[in-house]
Amino acid sequence: MTGALLTAEGLDLHFGAIPALVDVAIGVAEGEVVAIVGESGSGKTTLLRVLSGQMAPDAGTVRWLGQDVHAMGEAARRRLMRTDWGFVHQNPRDGLRLNVSAGGNVGERLMAVGARHYGNIRAQALEWLAKVEVDAARIDDLPRTFSGGMQQRLQIARTLVTRPRLVFMDEPTGGLDVSVQARLLDLIRGLSRELGLSVLIVTHDIAAARLLADRILVMRRGRVVEQGLTDRVLDDPQHPYTQLLVSSVLAA
Amino acid sequence: MNAPLAGYNFAYLDEATKRMLRRTILKAVAVPGHQIPFGAREMPLPYGWGTGGIQVTAAILGPADTLKVIDQGADDTTNAISIRRFFTRVAGVATTERTEEATIIQTRHRIPEAALREDQILVYQVPQPEPLSKLEPRRAETKRLHALADYGLMHVRLYEDIARLGHIAKAYDYPVMVNGRYLMSPSPIPAFDNPKMHRMAALQLFGAGREKRIYAIPPYTEVRSLDFEDHPFRPIRAPQACALCGSRESYLDEVITDDRGGRVFVCSDTDYCGTRVAAQKGVA
Amino acid sequence: MSPLLRTEGLAKAFTLHLQGGTRIPVLGGVDLAVHPGECVALWGPSGAGKSTLMRCLYGNYGAGAGRILLRHGGAEIDLATADPRSVIAARRETIGYVSQFLRVIPRVATRDIVAEPMIARGVPKAEAAARASALLHRLNLPERLHGLPPATFSGGEQQRVNLARGFAPGYPVLLLDEPTASLDGANRAIVIAMINEAKQAGAAIVGIFHDAEVREAVADRLFDVLPQQDAA
């Protein structure tokens, strides 16, 4: 695939006898939003962990700009994770420091890459709180005093503040109320376009995938059973499982 | 010089243990600021009283050395006297309260006011060698953070201080970067003493007995206190003069003199203060 | 003059795996060609596959057989086989689609929904917003609605938002699926004018127009879409 930032080929991973990934290939291009959908246990979160270097596959390679992610050593991988990459966890508590203020949470990645001017760090934290619609007056409050939706938006600000090129998102709207979900999806959509971000998003929410993604991969039992243009896969599904998945969505 | 107590090896520890300690120290010197684990022995004093410092001192002490021991800057406190007496008994070495006469200075929570020389060694007693311990409780994780020089977390702590209090509130055990590579705890010395560590002529050794870690700063090594460009590190001292010697430069202890709130400020470094007082009397 | 959009032997069938693998053929051997400045109206009974053909032409449905050739960026690309990124690029630059229903994006203001495709093509934000507003006014959507998300609008209002979004960028190829279905006479006349203006500007248009008045006003010719025989 030309212009691809992240490419993976031949990924295989088994947990004992259970196939988590079977011959998975995927590519993400610059500025492209790719959704991975499938039911719980289909292997989509495992795929995200393997692609982001957090888990090694039994076989296959993951390349970032041509470089083998699983061969690059932890220091390089961590550097990647706080510069070119970002990771948004389903549970904001996994992606935030709950005993550190909102401003400190946003500033951490800046400081990790060498920012040493308090005033600038704070100004950027304020700018990002505004972008994710968190009141500036909350900058010194601890995230544990925030609602779930606010925590998730704070996690997004914390992740995007260093302008990563690729963001991995694991069910970012998972634990949220429907009204809050729409707001968050809209925010992710707006920011990814504004910043020209590439996003790899795992979700079981078909509507979210339709709203956000250029391309979609449908996973089942560790395999990619169907992939392509988001609206084509959802409106003209070919695989029996995709047809089941699409027809199982409740129309609101 | 006293005769050492019969039945003990020189400086209490057996030679194999001392060799292990010296290897650890050499490794520590080779990787400035990096914590090296070692097999800490039971010492005849409780943890928290300087078991790490004593083992380091025992490993480097020779018969010709002159030992000074200070506790919070003072030569005359229980801890300092006990340790000095211990080495007098088990090594028969000379001891002193004069900074300039000492070849080895074991210290708890201070650096002497007088500049140290190349032929001196400063041994710190360290309760908690891990500067990230309060931020990241998992040992394996802090080791990884050191290995990757991933120190954003420490700056987050300083950021939080400024955000809440307007300034960095850490007054002691203020974290430093050693040789531009390792984040290091200077032990609970006042932040006032931090600048003395930078390019110090004397070798600095740090021993943590309970935590079983030794680390070091070789002579003339760069030691920088963490800060922000717009909130630079500032050593703080009480804005007073010493009630005894009148010093406005030295680090001061606040001493309560009565039950009615009376207080005076005196030098924490008793040798420094005493030397100045004696000089003033000599002049008078 | 070469066509902007053409199909060769286009066929489409649906296989319903959830209903025992029933295969429903909808299109077969469709050879359509639309030239610049031409409006072709799809013609056929209800259920004959007109909407399916429209969706195939937009790449929304995959093709079972044949080719869908779109003149895009100085060359023809086959939407039936193009990779997703090429289809997305073609939709951004070359081909627009006005469906009967507006797929509402939560919380996004009407003006921004209309301006979005223009911004994606590189029109500066302010200019895109101004053009969006002008077009919405022309379609009789008052200023006070421009800043609101269209989720709560009436069917006719939503359809006009959809029309504004489809017409604003000035795509060389435009697909219109019942563009006037929920509109009153006055607004229908405006849409007819807009379609004719697009034709004069050289656009190739394919439409489904149930409304005879509209069809006669804009269509240059009819293209028959005939029901396929069930070939189970």
Side-chain angles (χ1 to χ4, degrees):
Chain A
M1 176 170 205
T2 53
L5 294 175
L6 187 81
T7 51
E9 284 167 2
L11 295 179
D12 266 290
L13 183 62
H14 281 70
F15 298 126
I18 302 163
L21 298 177
V22 182
D23 195 25
V24 173
I26 186 172
V28 183
E30 184 102 59
E32 190 180 35
V33 179
V34 179
I36 305 168
V37 301
E39 62 198 0
S40 302
S42 60
K44 54 193 196 300
T45 293
T46 301
L47 177 58
L48 202 65
R49 289 176 60 79
V50 168
L51 292 174
S52 60
Q54 298 174 62
M55 191 185 274
D58 294 340
T61 52
V62 179
R63 291 182 191 279
W64 169 254
L65 301 173
Q67 219 189 341
D68 188 332
V69 167
H70 291 279
M72 65 170 54
E74 195 182 350
R77 207 155 53 232
R78 279 207 178 200
R79 201 174 309 120
L80 205 52
M81 200 49 121
R82 63 189 190 215
T83 54
D84 276 356
W85 288 2
F87 200 104
V88 174
H89 297 262
Q90 173 172 10
N91 188 336
R93 276 164 293 189
D94 296 334
L96 291 174
R97 293 190 189 278
L98 293 185
N99 57 352
V100 167
S101 70
N105 266 290
V106 178
E108 180 173 353
R109 268 173 77 103
L110 292 171
M111 290 183 258
V113 296
R116 292 293 180 264
H117 190 285
Y118 174 83
N120 291 350
I121 293 165
R122 195 153 173 95
Q124 288 201 57
L126 280 168
E127 184 191 326
W128 273 93
L129 290 182
K131 275 191 209 278
V132 300
E133 303 170 27
V134 171
D135 185 355
R138 305 294 303 268
I139 187 170
D140 293 328
D141 293 351
L142 297 181
R144 70 163 64 94
T145 66
F146 288 11
S147 69
M150 274 173 80
Q151 286 184 357
Q152 200 56 293
R153 279 177 285 145
L154 182 63
Q155 192 192 180
I156 287 169
R158 169 184 161 91
T159 307
L160 297 188
V161 67
T162 50
R163 301 286 171 118
R165 298 171 71 183
L166 171 64
V167 180
F168 300 92
M169 296 189 179
D170 187 6
E171 302 272 11
T173 59
L176 302 176
D177 292 342
V178 176
S179 60
V180 179
Q181 280 184 18
R183 188 176 180 194
L184 191 74
L185 288 172
D186 186 38
L187 182 77
I188 294 170
R189 185 172 165 276
L191 287 175
S192 65
R193 296 203 175 172
E194 183 187 329
L195 304 174
L197 278 180
S198 300
V199 179
L200 193 57
I201 183 169
V202 155
T203 181
H204 62 259
D205 182 345
I206 303 285
R210 185 191 281 278
L211 187 62
L212 293 176
D214 301 316
R215 265 194 315 124
I216 197 168
L217 284 83
V218 182
M219 285 193 75
R220 189 186 192 211
R221 294 184 189 155
R223 291 176 189 274
V224 175
V225 295
E226 185 164 357
Q227 62 173 308
L229 194 65
T230 300
D231 60 85
R232 192 182 299 181
V233 170
L234 296 182
D235 293 338
D236 185 18
Q238 303 297 311
H239 191 274
Y241 176 69
T242 315
Q243 293 190 356
L244 176 67
L245 200 66
V246 170
S247 66
S248 306
V249 176
L250 294 175
Chain B
M1 182 161 167
N2 309 311
L5 215 55
Y8 286 97
N9 190 35
F10 179 79
Y12 186 77
L13 293 173
D14 62 275
E15 291 304 312
T17 298
K18 284 199 261 184
R19 192 166 67 171
M20 175 270 293
L21 279 159
R22 287 171 195 147
R23 280 180 174 156
T24 307
I25 290 166
L26 282 174
K27 197 168 168 185
V29 169
V31 191
H34 177 47
Q35 303 164 48
I36 317 289
F38 76 107
R41 300 294 190 253
E42 290 292 325
M43 298 303 285
L45 80 167
Y47 287 137
W49 287 67
T51 53
I54 283 186
Q55 289 179 79
V56 171
T57 300
I60 61 172
L61 195 64
D65 274 313
T66 304
L67 180 68
K68 170 183 164 84
V69 183
I70 51 174
D71 175 4
Q72 304 269 21
D75 295 88
D76 55 0
T77 54
T78 311
N79 194 225
I81 292 169
S82 308
I83 293 172
R84 209 156 54 225
R85 192 178 290 158
F86 172 78
F87 279 112
T88 307
R89 283 193 186 161
V90 300
V93 294
T95 61
T96 182
E97 296 189 1
R98 303 296 310 277
T99 299
E100 59 173 47
E101 289 173 5
T103 55
I104 297 172
I105 302 167
Q106 182 172 332
T107 179
R108 173 175 174 269
H109 300 189
R110 271 313 306 279
I111 297 175
E113 302 291 354
L116 301 184
R117 302 182 310 264
E118 285 180 359
D119 61 346
Q120 295 177 307
I121 298 175
L122 186 59
V123 178
Y124 297 77
Q125 301 171 199
V126 180
Q128 175 51 263
E130 179 47 69
L132 298 166
S133 65
K134 284 193 177 134
L135 304 171
E136 174 52 70
R138 292 167 296 179
R139 244 302 169 190
E141 182 62 17
T142 59
K143 278 180 78 170
R144 194 171 288 130
L145 293 176
H146 282 297
L148 302 171
D150 190 349
Y151 294 136
L153 195 53
M154 194 77 234
H155 268 93
V156 171
R157 176 53 55 204
L158 303 182
Y159 166 95
E160 292 286 278
D161 273 0
I162 301 172
R164 268 197 215 111
L165 309 161
H167 60 94
I168 297 171
K170 214 154 169 53
Y172 66 94
D173 204 358
Y174 190 107
V176 294
M177 281 298 287
V178 177
N179 203 26
R181 173 60 182 83
Y182 280 99
L183 182 71
M184 192 194 90
S185 157
S187 85
I189 60 171
F192 175 84
D193 281 345
N194 273 21
K196 295 177 188 161
M197 309 177 87
H198 178 58
R199 298 191 58 78
M200 184 189 276
L203 171 64
Q204 303 173 73
L205 301 175
F206 299 78
R210 184 188 54 215
E211 302 294 329
K212 301 177 175 56
R213 295 287 188 283
I214 285 172
Y215 51 101
I217 304 173
Y220 302 110
T221 301
E222 186 180 72
V223 179
R224 297 283 181 199
S225 302
L226 293 194
D227 61 1
F228 288 99
E229 287 155 20
D230 49 344
H231 285 264
F233 170 81
R234 279 180 305 123
I236 16 172
R237 73 184 281 282
Q240 311 279 339
C242 170
L244 301 177
C245 75
S247 172
R248 290 188 172 276
E249 282 80 48
S250 70
Y251 190 73
L252 301 176
D253 284 340
E254 184 180 14
V255 181
I256 308 295
T257 53
D258 54 38
D259 291 338
R260 296 185 300 280
R263 64 189 65 186
V264 294
F265 288 87
V266 297
C267 292
S268 112
D269 185 336
T270 52
D271 174 53
Y272 170 85
C273 194
T275 306
R276 280 172 55 90
V277 169
Q280 287 158 9
K281 276 184 184 152
V283 170
Chain C
M1 205 158 21
S2 61
L4 289 180
L5 178 67
R6 63 194 172 100
T7 65
E8 289 176 354
L10 176 64
K12 176 66 185 168
F14 293 98
T15 305
L16 306 180
H17 292 288
L18 303 182
Q19 282 150 38
T22 311
R23 189 167 175 280
I24 303 174
V26 180
L27 302 173
V30 176
D31 294 308
L32 168 72
V34 194
H35 293 81
E38 184 183 32
C39 177
V40 175
L42 302 185
W43 180 249
S46 201
K50 299 188 296 294
S51 284
T52 298
L53 175 55
M54 291 288 267
R55 283 167 171 260
C56 286
L57 294 176
Y58 194 57
N60 177 227
Y61 285 174
R67 303 204 291 167
I68 305 166
L69 297 165
L70 176 71
R71 184 154 291 282
H72 165 67
E76 278 193 328
I77 66 163
D78 183 357
L79 291 178
T81 55
D83 66 58
R85 289 167 61 208
S86 304
V87 176
I88 288 168
R91 288 176 178 180
R92 184 174 58 235
E93 301 296 338
T94 306
I95 187 166
Y97 178 48
V98 179
S99 65
Q100 295 183 59
F101 305 104
L102 176 65
R103 199 180 279 284
V104 174
I105 303 156
R107 296 210 312 153
V108 179
T110 298
R111 187 188 299 109
D112 295 337
I113 287 177
V114 176
E116 191 181 13
M118 291 187 274
I119 293 168
R121 303 169 112 217
V123 176
K125 270 188 179 177
E127 191 189 328
R131 275 164 63 181
S133 272
L135 205 49
L136 289 167
H137 275 299
R138 185 174 179 194
L139 286 158
N140 292 315
L141 285 164
E143 186 80 37
R144 64 184 164 80
L145 297 181
H146 298 187
L148 300 176
T152 54
F153 291 7
S154 72
E157 285 166 339
Q158 292 198 1
Q159 184 158 40
R160 279 176 278 154
V161 174
N162 227 2
L163 281 161
R165 182 177 159 95
F167 275 92
Y171 297 110
V173 179
L174 204 48
L175 310 173
L176 306 173
D177 190 350
E178 299 273 17
T180 57
S182 339
L183 301 186
D184 57 27
N187 283 315
R188 248 195 329 265
I190 293 165
V191 174
I192 290 170
M194 283 167 59
I195 294 172
N196 283 326
E197 283 164 29
K199 280 168 65 181
Q200 273 155 31
I205 297 173
V206 181
I208 301 172
F209 308 101
H210 278 170
D211 186 319
E213 179 200 332
V214 176
R215 188 171 61 240
E216 279 155 24
V218 300
D220 298 297
R221 62 186 168 95
L222 302 180
F223 182 82
D224 288 329
V225 180
L226 302 172
Q228 295 289 297
Q229 285 181 336
D230 283 23

